[in-house]
Amino acid sequence: MLIFMLFLTKKGMLDKRTKLMNAAKVLFSENGFYATPTAKIAKEAGVSNGILFHYFPTKADLIHAMYYDIKDRIFNYSVSQIYKEATLKESIYTLWLAAVEWNLENSEDFEFMLQFENSPYFSNEIEKKHKYVQMSIELAEQGRLQNIFKDVDPLLLFQTMSCLVETNVKFLKYNPIFQNDVGFKNTLFEIAWDAIKK
Amino acid sequence: MLIFMLFLTKKGMLDKRTKLMNAAKVLFSENGFYATPTAKIAKEAGVSNGILFHYFPTKADLIHAMYYDIKDRIFNYSVSQIYKEATLKESIYTLWLAAVEWNLENSEDFEFMLQFENSPYFSNEIEKKHKYVQMSIELAEQGRLQNIFKDVDPLLLFQTMSCLVETNVKFLKYNPIFQNDVGFKNTLFEIAWDAIKK
DNA sequence: AAACAGACCGACTAATCAGTCGATGTTAAT
DNA sequence: ATTAACATCGACTGATTAGTCGGTCTGTTT
């Protein structure tokens, strides 16, 4: 049975929970949470209305599940990019680039996140607990101890980087010419690096 | 008649259009656009349900009117702060500080703006037309021509500053101890300045 | 083969909400 | 005094929507 399930998954016949999250991602990024009825999500996912509430007792539960899913995926991608022997600056660059490229390639996830983080669903406290944020804060703390970064709360350094990534991604979306321009991307990183470095 | 209207205004008996916008501001910043029914806005404003649609044909019209109102107010405040003989860095500092302090003092406007700018109501094109944005871009262009700023699209420089202001305000809201700490605010500005300067 | 459990369906409902409408009051202009 | 134009009210409606429910199907356990 387990083997059969794996087979299904590999063939692209995703389980309905995943189908629902994918459908919601598309519709949310097009019309926002509130203009997207649950019935439409189920329809787009090709499943029944009722099954949505089987997997996610409320619409808010679905939205939260999607948030954690995205955070996990961007964390896994970022971690896969960094390497051990890197200097601090190299690590920061790798993380910055990973974030920018991941968000550009996963445009719907990016749109979802923007909405979510500025909605009443979001709270700072939830975010701080995620391993992605914790890893970033740890790096910021390192840089501060090494006297490389400005002497402020590492959380602030992280938030500064995050908002710059967001701005960079938005800019690159509206100016696709630069998306493969390595020189331009280096300039973008310089902006971010200069901001946090001493 | 005009005199009588002014008298009413001075006495705090605002016209109903303004009352509606003020009530909406409070409710929107507490619960968001979508969890705030128009009927509740009218009730909070102490006016009838129908009059809301007399002044704002749709809920979206109300929201847009509020957006323009806020942009106008922050623009007027910012302009009142700058002075002619200032250097470029002084002007940027003044604008940065004005934005940070205005947003801290007008917390509901700030919350509204965050929601609005990440909602389907918002479009980049609308924003770019506002005199506040145009003034800022002009300054950025000046700095670039004087070879003081990094050599990128002035719009990007403006967006960079804006997102840093946003981050700063959020941080100061969560860490009120720093709100009157001039040294800390200078460090915050250094972060922003280092980001854009060459 | 019976009992069980979880996936799944889709019609249904109770509540909510944006916007309407007809009526009345108020002010200004002719 | 009449008219016209706007301001105001609040009951009402039509549409929408999150979530429910009774029941079916399928695979597993005993």
Side-chain angles (χ1 to χ4, degrees):
Chain A
M1 190 31 35
L2 182 66
I3 290 158
F4 184 56
M5 296 259 303
L6 283 171
F7 176 71
L8 278 179
T9 306
K10 272 188 183 159
K11 275 294 196 194
M13 296 178 74
L14 306 169
D15 66 291
K16 311 208 168 183
R17 211 186 107 99
T18 309
K19 272 188 184 172
L20 281 163
M21 289 211 279
N22 286 342
K25 186 161 83 177
V26 175
L27 294 172
F28 284 163
S29 79
E30 274 170 9
N31 309 109
F33 304 153
Y34 300 94
T36 305
T38 52
K40 211 172 171 182
I41 298 171
K43 200 179 176 188
E44 172 91 8
V47 302
S48 80
N49 184 350
I51 203 67
L52 191 156
F53 294 96
H54 178 68
Y55 288 113
F56 310 99
T58 68
K59 193 181 178 180
D61 288 327
L62 166 63
I63 291 172
H64 278 111
M66 291 174 69
Y67 168 74
Y68 289 116
D69 183 58
I70 293 174
K71 276 266 158 179
D72 285 352
R73 277 158 45 227
I74 195 169
F75 173 74
N76 290 334
Y77 178 70
S78 299
V79 166
S80 80
Q81 298 299 103
I82 56 174
Y83 50 100
K84 275 280 159 58
E85 305 78 13
T87 64
L88 184 71
K89 186 170 180 180
E90 281 165 353
S91 294
I92 300 284
Y93 177 74
T94 305
L95 283 179
W96 173 85
L97 189 66
V100 169
E101 289 185 339
W102 193 91
N103 280 304
L104 273 175
E105 269 157 45
N106 299 271
S107 190
E108 283 149 354
D109 293 305
F110 179 66
E111 297 294 330
F112 174 90
M113 224 53 180
L114 286 183
Q115 263 184 81
F116 180 81
E117 286 175 353
N118 294 288
S119 79
Y121 292 112
F122 178 73
S123 101
N124 258 354
E125 304 313 312
I126 296 173
E127 194 198 24
K128 266 196 267 182
K129 283 181 194 135
H130 197 278
K131 48 196 174 185
Y132 183 69
V133 180
Q134 289 185 340
M135 174 189 68
S136 306
I137 289 179
E138 217 169 277
L139 257 183
E141 181 63 13
Q142 271 181 43
R144 205 173 66 143
L145 291 175
Q146 292 174 230
N147 215 32
I148 295 171
F149 292 165
K150 292 197 173 74
D151 193 28
V152 293
D153 186 340
L155 180 63
L156 176 63
L157 293 174
F158 166 66
Q159 288 168 346
T160 301
M161 284 301 283
S162 295
C163 90
L164 289 172
V165 166
E166 202 181 296
T167 303
N168 294 163
V169 172
K170 281 181 186 169
F171 189 83
L172 288 170
K173 279 182 78 171
Y174 281 95
N175 302 275
I177 324 113
F178 292 124
Q179 277 178 21
N180 293 311
D181 184 334
V182 180
F184 184 74
K185 276 190 189 164
N186 283 339
T187 306
L188 285 182
F189 178 69
E190 247 176 75
I191 290 176
W193 178 255
D194 289 351
I196 59 172
K197 85 138 195 279
K198 212 154 198 170
Chain B
M1 190 30 41
L2 182 68
I3 290 157
F4 184 57
M5 295 260 302
L6 282 171
F7 174 71
L8 277 179
T9 307
K10 272 188 185 158
K11 274 293 195 195
M13 297 179 73
L14 307 168
D15 65 291
K16 311 207 167 183
R17 212 187 108 98
T18 308
K19 272 187 181 171
L20 281 163
M21 289 210 279
N22 286 342
K25 187 162 82 176
V26 175
L27 294 172
F28 284 162
S29 78
E30 274 169 9
N31 309 108
F33 304 153
Y34 301 93
T36 305
T38 52
K40 212 172 171 183
I41 298 170
K43 200 179 175 187
E44 172 90 8
V47 301
S48 81
N49 185 350
I51 203 67
L52 191 157
F53 294 96
H54 177 68
Y55 287 113
F56 310 99
T58 68
K59 193 181 179 180
D61 287 327
L62 166 63
I63 291 172
H64 278 112
M66 291 174 69
Y67 167 74
Y68 289 117
D69 183 59
I70 294 175
K71 276 265 159 179
D72 284 353
R73 276 156 47 223
I74 194 168
F75 172 74
N76 290 333
Y77 178 69
S78 299
V79 166
S80 80
Q81 297 300 102
I82 55 175
Y83 50 101
K84 274 282 160 58
E85 306 78 13
T87 66
L88 185 71
K89 187 170 180 182
E90 282 164 354
S91 295
I92 300 284
Y93 177 73
T94 305
L95 283 179
W96 173 86
L97 189 66
V100 169
E101 290 185 339
W102 193 90
N103 280 305
L104 273 175
E105 269 158 44
N106 299 271
S107 192
E108 283 149 354
D109 293 304
F110 179 67
E111 297 295 330
F112 174 90
M113 224 54 181
L114 286 182
Q115 263 185 79
F116 180 80
E117 285 174 353
N118 295 288
S119 79
Y121 291 113
F122 178 73
S123 103
N124 257 353
E125 303 313 312
I126 297 174
E127 194 197 24
K128 265 194 268 181
K129 283 182 196 133
H130 198 279
K131 49 197 172 183
Y132 182 70
V133 180
Q134 289 185 340
M135 174 189 70
S136 307
I137 289 179
E138 217 170 277
L139 256 183
E141 181 62 12
Q142 271 181 43
R144 203 171 67 144
L145 291 176
Q146 291 175 231
N147 216 33
I148 296 172
F149 292 166
K150 292 196 173 75
D151 193 27
V152 293
D153 187 340
L155 180 63
L156 177 63
L157 294 174
F158 165 66
Q159 288 168 346
T160 301
M161 284 301 284
S162 296
C163 91
L164 289 171
V165 165
E166 202 181 296
T167 303
N168 294 162
V169 171
K170 282 180 184 169
F171 189 82
L172 288 170
K173 278 183 78 170
Y174 280 97
N175 302 274
I177 325 112
F178 292 124
Q179 276 177 21
N180 294 311
D181 185 332
V182 180
F184 184 74
K185 275 191 188 163
N186 283 339
T187 306
L188 286 182
F189 178 68
E190 247 177 76
I191 291 175
W193 179 255
D194 288 352
I196 59 171
K197 84 138 195 280
K198 213 158 199 168

